[in-house]
Amino acid sequence: MNHRTPVRRTLPAALALLVLVTCTGCSGGVEGRPGAAGVGDPYFPRLGNGGYDVTHYDLALDVDPAAHRLRGTATLTARATQDLSAFHLDLLGLTVESATVDGRPAAVSRAGQKLTLRPDAGVRLSEGHTFRTVLRYSGSPRPLTDPDGSQEGWLWTADGAVALGEPAGSMTWFPGNDHPSDKASYDIAVTVPKGLTAVSNGEPAPPAAASAGRTTYRWHVGEPMATYLATVAVGHFETKDTKRSKEAGGIEVFTAADRAVAADSAPVLARVPEVVAWEARRFGPYPFASTGAIVGRPEDAGYALETQNRPFFPGPPGPRLLVHEMAHQWFGDSVTPASWRDTWLNEGFATYAEWLWAADKEGVPVGDSFDAAFRKDANWAFPPADPPTAADILQPPVYGRGAMVVHEIRKAVGDDTRFFALLKGWTRAHRHGNASTADFTAYVEKATGRDLSQLWKTWLYGRSRPAPQG
Ligand code: TRP
Ligand code: ZN
């Protein structure tokens, strides 16, 4: 995906800038200007980078949990979206050992979470050119504390690690364009000491090669994936791989559970295909080639995350949490927020999936779930489509009131067949892409042929609780 920030300047100022940057870059005859450091996200302006679009990440990681060491080689294939004299990658911590761009050594400088790469003289990154960056790095990855106080990124566990990246944690374990607007395919190879297993996104590529007491696990993600959904889990796992699950519609189902919780996880993991099929009937075809789940121990992380293909759970989830994280495969993982302002498009729908499940399986009418959420004061702290700060992007209004928005649309549509057709149309329209709140409201108005500005005003943007309806 592209994300150019529109720049408006007077012509003389633009010319002056052009002369300036051309000359900084022209030492080695490199033309163009540096890509922007940051894509202008309203909540995390420094995340991601301009001037290129990553199409593929090839990550080869060597993980030593006992020493808390990671060694990695990241090969990024990217297309320049402008003439680039230099560009940035997001990487926090770790030591960069070497970098090449199109096979020639590149100069690397660092400031905070930004790497600046200057390609060698003779390497031209012209607009439209696809180029390859290889970065070797190592060190002891450390987690990141979010604005809301939660821990994300590379989390060491008792005997391994798990990587969780929402919103900004992927930069703690691999260099990249760390913003949801730039999705790419991945190959992830993880080498671990014998006895440990490394699980990641996508499909496993057999066989796992073993040498000198270490085993390499290879994973391939063919569909576009946002950096925040990339994961690696290293541990003593019990795994189950069903290559073609009839119940899940023919896709591969790969589950992994830490041996400490494997027995307790078995019953809920056995329901993964059922949940995928149940959701596919409501949300449209499952968007990926494989599914599954990773279950760690409760102390491994403070929350579950919808990591692509197989969500991560800190301990065996109940069916509702499984339904929530699996719904994100459609809402979040396939249809990905354009920016961190749009998290209600993830959480509102994942919460609504829980309400649908409770109605279908637990005899709790959706209206009751709606009423309970309506009564909860925490859901009225701010409008779901406009969280006040970066610390609020995953707070109750985004979940509870986000789901109320979906139910209000259902009531406005009136007919359930048409409502579910609307949901399926949404996941189809932006499958494997990105979408914003404006894309959503425009889509619903076009699909229904109605002006729903009052609904958006009250439920999406309103600051106060409306009077309860009959
Ligand atoms: N997005 C996750 C979910 O709803 C939850 C999550 C990830 C989260 N990171 C967080 C919640 C940080 C609170 C704080 O499935
Ligand atoms: Zn969620």
Side-chain angles (χ1 to χ4, degrees):
M1 282 291 298
N2 287 352
H3 31 69
R4 292 221 224 159
T5 324
V7 183
R8 265 175 241 102
R9 279 183 232 274
T10 60
L11 190 60
L15 284 175
L17 186 76
L18 187 71
V19 169
L20 192 76
V21 294
T22 309
C23 285
T24 0
C26 61
S27 51
V30 181
E31 283 165 13
R33 57 198 166 84
V39 297
D41 187 275
Y43 295 83
F44 298 89
R46 289 172 52 74
L47 281 185
N49 305 286
Y52 66 90
D53 179 1
V54 181
T55 53
H56 186 74
Y57 291 88
D58 188 305
L59 307 176
L61 309 175
D62 197 311
V63 182
D64 183 350
H68 277 196
R69 297 277 306 171
L70 169 74
R71 178 175 290 280
T73 302
T75 305
L76 279 64
T77 307
R79 201 176 51 83
T81 56
Q82 64 174 63
D83 293 349
L84 283 170
S85 59
F87 63 94
H88 305 280
L89 294 172
D90 300 299
L91 185 70
L92 185 64
L94 303 168
T95 303
V96 176
E97 288 164 0
S98 67
T100 64
V101 175
D102 277 351
R104 308 269 288 267
V108 184
S109 59
R110 301 189 73 161
Q113 66 194 52
K114 289 293 174 196
L115 298 181
T116 305
L117 280 87
R118 265 176 201 286
D120 190 34
V123 173
R124 272 193 211 296
L125 306 184
S126 322
E127 181 173 351
H129 173 67
T130 294
F131 62 100
R132 189 155 295 170
T133 304
V134 182
L135 232 118
R136 288 179 204 283
Y137 60 101
S138 65
S140 185
R142 300 206 323 154
L144 188 65
T145 303
D146 285 339
D148 69 8
S150 57
Q151 296 283 102
E152 60 152 335
W154 189 270
L155 309 173
W156 292 108
T157 63
D159 57 353
V162 61
L164 302 177
E166 188 180 30
S170 86
M171 64 166 122
T172 68
W173 60 284
F174 69 91
N177 195 17
D178 197 2
H179 190 267
S181 55
D182 190 357
K183 296 165 71 164
S185 57
Y186 287 67
D187 279 290
I188 303 175
V190 190
T191 303
V192 293
K194 233 182 187 132
L196 289 167
T197 302
V199 181
S200 186
N201 312 92
E203 295 81 57
S211 76
R214 303 182 71 71
T215 313
T216 300
Y217 293 87
R218 294 177 197 283
W219 296 85
H220 173 71
V221 185
E223 300 92 358
M225 178 166 80
T227 52
Y228 82 96
L229 299 168
T231 191
V232 163
V234 177
H236 291 96
F237 291 123
E238 288 186 15
T239 63
K240 185 162 185 261
D241 188 3
T242 309
K243 291 288 180 196
R244 265 179 290 279
S245 161
K246 217 171 168 181
E247 203 189 351
I251 58 168
E252 182 168 1
V253 181
F254 187 101
T255 61
D258 187 281
R259 62 186 178 192
V261 295
D264 288 347
S265 303
V268 69
L269 290 181
R271 298 190 73 176
V272 164
E274 172 199 347
V275 168
V276 167
W278 182 90
E279 294 187 335
R281 282 196 294 277
R282 284 151 184 85
F283 308 145
Y286 181 78
F288 306 118
S290 68
T291 189
I294 305 169
V295 185
R297 286 157 297 200
E299 61 271 29
D300 293 345
Y303 50 86
L305 187 66
E306 63 266 29
T307 43
Q308 191 154 310
N309 305 92
R310 50 192 57 79
F312 173 84
F313 301 93
R320 251 181 106 132
L321 184 58
L322 176 62
V323 164
H324 177 109
E325 301 305 338
M326 204 54 90
H328 278 307
Q329 301 301 316
W330 287 260
F331 304 103
D333 297 14
S334 172
V335 183
T336 303
S339 88
W340 288 114
R341 176 175 277 147
D342 305 312
T343 50
W344 82 270
L345 287 172
N346 290 6
E347 304 306 344
F349 284 91
T351 303
Y352 200 70
E354 292 181 56
W355 295 3
L356 292 172
W357 179 268
D360 195 38
K361 309 280 183 183
E362 294 159 10
V364 182
V366 174
D368 290 10
S369 296
F370 179 98
D371 290 344
F374 186 89
R375 283 192 299 268
K376 221 174 113 187
D377 289 344
N379 285 331
W380 297 94
F382 58 82
D386 191 18
T389 74
D392 299 309
I393 63 165
L394 293 167
Q395 291 301 309
V398 172
Y399 290 74
R401 216 162 127 204
M404 284 187 250
V405 173
V406 181
H407 197 55
E408 286 300 320
I409 294 167
R410 185 177 182 172
K411 287 197 271 186
V413 168
D415 173 82
D416 274 357
T417 307
R418 279 173 52 215
F419 169 70
F420 285 107
L422 187 80
L423 292 190
K424 288 180 183 140
W426 171 246
T427 62
R428 190 171 54 239
H430 295 278
R431 184 177 164 93
H432 298 153
N434 292 88
S436 66
T437 301
D439 291 329
F440 181 73
T441 54
Y443 163 80
V444 175
E445 296 203 338
K446 184 152 189 273
T448 60
R450 291 176 52 185
D451 173 3
L452 296 169
S453 46
Q454 204 52 48
L455 195 162
W456 313 135
K457 203 174 158 209
T458 305
W459 297 94
L460 220 36
Y461 294 105
R463 302 203 168 268
S464 58
R465 184 161 24 198
Q469 304 131 306

